Amino acid sequence: MSQPPLSAAGTAMTPARRNRQRLCLLLLIALFLLPLLAASWLVGYWRPTATTNHGELLATARPVVPFTVTRSGGTALAADYLRRRWTLAYLGAAGECGQPC
C-alpha cells in the first residue's frame, strides 16, 4: 500500500490542500505566461491605423567641428570612443551653459 504524499511539514496532504496548491501553481504560471501570449498576439495581428512622426530626419550627416569629450573626473575620452555608436549630441553656443556644465 502506498503512502499519501507529505507536505513540507511532514504531515499527510489532504486532496483539498493538494488541489489548492495545484491551483496556486497554475495561477502563478498564468501570471507570467498570459502577458507573453498577449504581446505576441498584438505583434502578429494588431497594427495601429496611423502613425505620427515627431522631429526631422536629417538627409545627410552634418560635419561637426572636432571636439574633446571629457569624463566627470576630467580625463578625456579616446578619439574613436564614439565611432560606430549611435550618439545624441546637443550643440549649443559656446559658453552659454555656465557653471552647471
Side-chain angles (χ1 to χ4, degrees):
M1 184 169 184
S2 66
Q3 295 288 335
L6 299 178
S7 68
T11 60
M13 293 179 61
T14 64
R17 182 175 173 151
R18 188 177 322 120
N19 289 338
R20 187 174 56 221
Q21 288 181 347
R22 286 180 183 167
L23 179 63
C24 285
L25 178 63
L26 290 175
L27 288 175
L28 185 64
I29 291 171
L31 178 71
F32 290 98
L33 190 60
L34 288 177
L36 292 173
L37 293 174
S40 64
W41 180 82
L42 286 173
V43 166
Y45 297 105
W46 178 78
R47 296 279 184 223
T49 57
T51 60
T52 303
N53 297 324
H54 301 281
E56 178 184 344
L57 181 63
L58 299 177
T60 59
R62 296 180 183 174
V64 178
V65 177
F67 60 93
T68 303
V69 178
T70 57
R71 298 177 190 216
S72 60
T75 60
L77 291 176
D80 62 346
Y81 179 76
L82 298 176
R83 190 175 312 277
R84 307 212 25 98
R85 295 183 187 202
W86 283 94
T87 306
L88 178 66
Y90 174 74
L91 303 175
E96 280 187 15
C97 187
Q99 183 60 30
C101 293

